[in-house]
C-alpha cells in the first residue's frame, strides 16, 4: 500500500504530511477548496465535498486504500464502492454505528460501556412523554443534533423547560428541508474531561496513547494536558474501554474517545471520533509515534508504532480565531515560539473566523505538574488572545 486516499482535507489530513513522508507514502485528498490545509501536502487533490461519493469513486482509482479525516460522509453511497472492492480503512461497517450520535450511544450501551442517560427526541415523542423523560433526567439537560455536530456546534445546554421549548420552536420554524434530529441526555457535572487515542492494526493489535485531560470552553477544546493526572485504576478502565470498542468494531485505523470523569469517580464515554482527534495533537511532538503516522501505519497494513511519551509531560493549546481577518498573526506566532520547548503548528488557513481552529502549540515539560501545565497554557493564551 503506497497511495493513501483521505476523505477530508482539513488540518487533520494536513498533519499526516510528515508521517507520509517518513513512511514513503503518497497522499491523495478529497476536499472542496483549493484553500484547504491538506491541499499543500497532497500529491493530488480531488476537489469535492466529503459526502460526494462520485468524487470518492475518482479518488479510489488513484489510490490503494481510503481513510477518513472527516466523518460527514454518505455511507450508503460509499457502500456501493466498498462492494465493488474499494478498500476503506476503517471499513464502513466500523463507522456505521457511530455517525449518528443517538445510534452511537445505543451501540456503546449494547457493548456494556458506561454512557450518560439519554433518549432520542423525534416527532413520535408526545409532549407528556417528553416531560416525564426530562423530569427523570432533571434539568439541566443537553440537547444534541444527532449528525454533523463538531466543536460544540449542535450541542446545547438547556437549563429549563421554557428554554427547551424555545430552542425546539426555533428549529421547527427554520425553512430547512431536512429538520435536524436530536438526542437529549443528562448533564454530567464532571470533575474532568478526559480523552484517549487508540489505534488498531490489520492484524488486530491495539495500542493506546496515554490518557489526557481536555479542557473545553463553550463546548470547544481549548487545551490538553498530557498525561492526565488520574489514578492507575481510571487509566486502566479507559484503556479497557478503548480495547472493547476497537476490537468489537474491528477498526483498522485511529479513533479518539472522549470521556467524562464524574465527581464520584465514575468514567462515562461522551463521544467517539472515528479518526484522529484534537486531543491527540500533542503526540506530534511528545510521543515516539504521532497519531497521524499511526493512522497511516494502520491503514497501510504496517506494524503500529510506539505511542509512548518521549518527554515527562506536555501541554497543547489550540489557537482559535477570535475575529474575522486575513492576518497570518506572524508576530504573535513568533512570540509564542520563543517559549522554551514549544512547537507551533500553523494550519495555513487563509481566513480567521471566531472559533475557527487556526493552529496549535505544544510545549514539552520536564515534569508532570498540572498547575505548571495550566500556567504555560495561560501564558500562551495571553499572548494569543487580545485583552
Ligand atoms: P462535539 O461533537 O461538538 O464535540 P460533544 O458532544 O463532544 O460535541 O460536546 C462538546 C462539549 O460539550 C463536551 O466536551 C463537554 O464539555 C460538553 N458536554 C457535552 N455533553 C455533555 C453532557 N452530557 N454533560 C455535560 N457537558 C457536556
Amino acid at each position: 500500500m503506497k497511495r493513501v486516499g483521505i476523505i477530508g482535507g482539513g488540518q487533520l489530513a494536513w498533519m499526516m504530511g510528515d508521517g507520509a513522508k517518513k513512511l514513503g507514502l503518497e497522499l491523495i485528498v478529497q476536499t472542496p477548496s483549493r484553500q484547504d490545509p491538506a491541499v499543500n501536502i497532497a500529491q493530488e487533490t480531488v476537489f469535492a465535498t466529503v459526502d460526494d461519493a462520485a468524487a470518492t469513486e475518482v479518488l479510489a482509482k488513484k489510490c490503494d486504500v481510503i481513510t477518513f479525516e472527516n466523518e460527514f460522509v454518505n455511507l450508503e453511497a460509499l457502500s456501493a464502492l466498498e462492494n465493488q472492492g474499494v478498500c476503506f480503512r476503517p471499513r464502513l461497517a466500523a463507522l456505521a454505528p457511530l455517525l449518528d450520535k443517538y445510534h452511537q450511544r445505543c451501540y456503546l450501551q449494547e457493548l456494556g460501556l458506561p454512557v450518560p442517560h439519554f433518549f432520542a427526541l423525534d416527532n413520535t415523542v408526545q409532549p407528556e412523554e417528553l416531560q416525564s423523560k426530562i423530569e427523570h433526567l432533571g434539568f439541566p439537560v443537553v440537547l444534541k443534533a444527532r449528525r454533523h455536530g463538531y466543536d460544540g456546534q449542535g450541542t446545547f445546554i438547556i437549563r429549563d423547560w421554557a428554554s427547551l421549548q424555545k430552542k425546539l420552536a426555533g428549529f421547527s420554524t427554520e425553512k430547512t428541508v431536512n429538520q435536524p434530529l436530536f438526542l437529549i441526555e443528562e448533564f454530567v457535572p464532571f470533575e474532568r474531561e478526559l480523552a484517549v487515542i487508540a489505534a488498531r492494526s490489520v492484524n488486530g493489535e491495539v495500542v493506546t496513547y496515554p490518557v489526557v485531560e481536555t479542557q473545553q470552553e463553550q463546548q470547544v477544546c481549548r487545551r490538553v494536558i498530557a498525561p492526565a493526572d488520574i489514578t492507575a485504576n481510571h487509566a486502566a478502565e479507559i484503556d479497557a474501554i478503548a480495547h472493547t470498542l476497537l476490537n468489537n468494531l474491528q477498526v483498522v485505523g485511529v479513533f479518539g474517545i472522549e470521556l467524562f470523569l464524574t465527581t464520584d469517580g465514575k468514567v462515562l464515554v461522551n463521544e467517539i471520533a472515528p479518526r484522529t482527534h484534537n486531543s491527540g495533537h500533542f503526540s506530534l511532538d511528545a510521543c515516539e509515534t504521532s497519531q497521524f503516522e499511526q493512522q497511516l501505519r494502520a491503514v497501510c497494513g504496517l506494524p503500529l508504532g510506539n505511542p509512548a511519551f518521549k518527554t515527562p509531560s506536555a501541554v497543547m493549546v489550540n489557537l482559535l480565531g477570535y475575529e474575522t481577518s486575513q492576518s497570518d498573526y506572524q508576530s504573535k506566532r513568533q512570540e509564542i515560539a520563543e517559549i522554551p520547548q514549544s512547537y507551533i503548528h500553523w494550519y495555513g488557513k487563509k481566513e480567521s473566523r471566531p472559533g475557527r481552529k487556526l493552529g496549535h502549540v505544544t510545549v514539552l515539560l520536564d515534569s508532570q505538574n498540572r498547575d505548571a501545565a495550566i500556567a504555560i497554557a495561560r501564558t500562551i493564551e495571553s499572548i494569543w488572545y487580545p485583552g
Side-chain angles (χ1 to χ4, degrees):
M1 300 257 176
K2 274 276 163 210
R3 298 168 307 160
V4 180
I6 306 173
I7 300 185
Q11 64 265 21
L12 300 179
W14 177 73
M15 285 185 268
M16 286 180 198
D18 284 349
K21 226 181 264 170
K22 182 171 162 192
L23 299 172
L25 304 171
E26 285 181 17
L27 302 182
I28 300 128
V29 167
Q30 174 178 338
T31 199
S33 164
R34 216 159 273 284
Q35 311 210 320
D36 291 338
V39 173
N40 293 323
I41 54 99
Q43 255 67 33
E44 204 180 328
T45 303
V46 175
F47 289 103
T49 54
V50 296
D51 60 353
D52 183 341
T56 305
E57 190 169 2
V58 175
L59 178 72
K61 297 214 168 76
K62 298 176 187 289
C63 49
D64 306 310
V65 58
I66 293 181
T67 191
F68 305 86
E69 80 114 40
N70 180 309
E71 63 276 27
F72 301 149
V73 292
N74 180 346
L75 273 193
E76 217 174 298
L78 291 184
S79 67
L81 297 179
E82 192 171 56
N83 292 337
Q84 289 161 24
V86 174
C87 178
F88 290 100
R89 288 183 174 160
R91 69 204 170 96
L92 303 182
L95 302 183
L98 304 178
L99 301 194
D100 172 310
K101 287 189 190 210
Y102 174 70
H103 294 158
Q104 184 182 113
R105 279 264 193 288
C106 295
Y107 182 76
L108 296 172
Q109 205 167 41
E110 278 164 29
L111 289 183
L113 299 180
V115 291
H117 295 292
F118 68 100
F119 63 89
L121 177 63
D122 55 31
N123 331 347
T124 63
V125 180
Q126 297 303 314
E128 312 78 62
E129 188 189 350
L130 178 60
Q131 197 151 7
S132 103
K133 281 182 162 171
I134 289 207
E135 267 163 27
H136 181 70
L137 297 183
F139 282 110
V141 294
V142 183
L143 175 73
K144 292 184 176 181
R146 285 171 57 168
R147 279 216 69 185
H148 299 292
Y150 70 101
D151 288 349
Q153 316 239 2
T155 294
F156 311 96
I157 294 165
I158 307 281
R159 310 247 159 236
D160 54 34
W161 190 245
S163 324
L164 178 65
Q165 306 279 43
K166 201 168 147 202
K167 193 94 215 158
L168 294 175
F171 285 114
S172 62
T173 55
E174 273 178 19
K175 291 189 181 58
T176 51
V177 185
N178 295 318
Q179 291 292 323
L181 293 173
F182 293 100
L183 130 94
I184 290 187
E185 65 187 31
E186 68 177 302
F187 177 84
V188 180
F190 52 79
E191 150 96 27
R192 281 189 196 168
E193 289 191 83
L194 305 172
V196 68
I197 299 291
R200 186 171 174 280
S201 73
V202 169
N203 300 331
E205 180 199 1
V206 174
V207 303
T208 53
Y209 284 77
V211 176
V212 299
E213 174 181 349
T214 65
Q215 298 187 345
Q216 275 63 230
E217 283 173 23
Q218 267 98 48
Q219 284 93 50
V220 182
C221 177
R222 293 292 292 265
R223 47 200 97 80
V224 170
I225 299 165
D229 184 8
I230 53 171
T231 65
N233 281 348
H234 280 138
E237 191 181 335
I238 291 168
D239 205 63
I241 289 172
H243 276 79
T244 302
L245 181 73
L246 272 71
N247 283 331
N248 271 279
L249 287 169
Q250 294 178 39
V251 170
V252 174
V254 165
F255 272 23
I257 306 174
E258 297 176 76
L259 311 112
F260 299 121
L261 180 62
T262 68
T263 37
D264 53 355
K266 280 204 216 76
V267 170
L268 298 174
V269 180
N270 174 29
E271 192 173 36
I272 312 299
R275 49 165 168 78
T276 55
H277 191 253
N278 196 173
S279 63
H281 289 2
F282 72 94
S283 64
L284 274 173
D285 305 298
C287 295
E288 296 290 344
T289 310
S290 78
Q291 62 166 346
F292 304 101
E293 178 185 335
Q294 199 72 285
Q295 181 173 6
L296 292 170
R297 285 180 162 276
V299 306
C300 290
L302 298 169
L304 297 180
N306 179 2
F309 272 109
K310 47 185 191 189
T311 171
S313 79
V315 58
M316 190 279 328
V317 180
N318 276 336
L319 303 177
L320 301 180
Y322 51 80
E323 61 181 0
T324 302
S325 158
Q326 312 227 314
S327 169
D328 64 1
Y329 300 99
Q330 261 298 344
S331 67
K332 287 190 187 228
R333 280 155 58 193
Q334 188 55 42
E335 205 179 327
I336 292 169
E338 279 160 22
I339 296 172
Q341 304 212 76
S342 70
Y343 296 84
I344 185 157
H345 299 261
W346 186 251
Y347 308 150
K349 296 183 182 176
K350 299 285 180 283
E351 190 176 73
S352 164
R353 288 191 295 271
R356 196 169 193 212
K357 288 174 178 165
L358 302 178
H360 74 263
V361 194
T362 298
V363 180
L364 306 186
L365 303 167
D366 296 331
S367 66
Q368 207 179 313
N369 179 333
R370 184 172 184 267
D371 291 338
I374 291 173
I376 288 186
R378 297 265 177 256
T379 303
I380 293 167
E381 288 166 349
S382 69
I383 297 169
W384 177 250
Y385 296 102

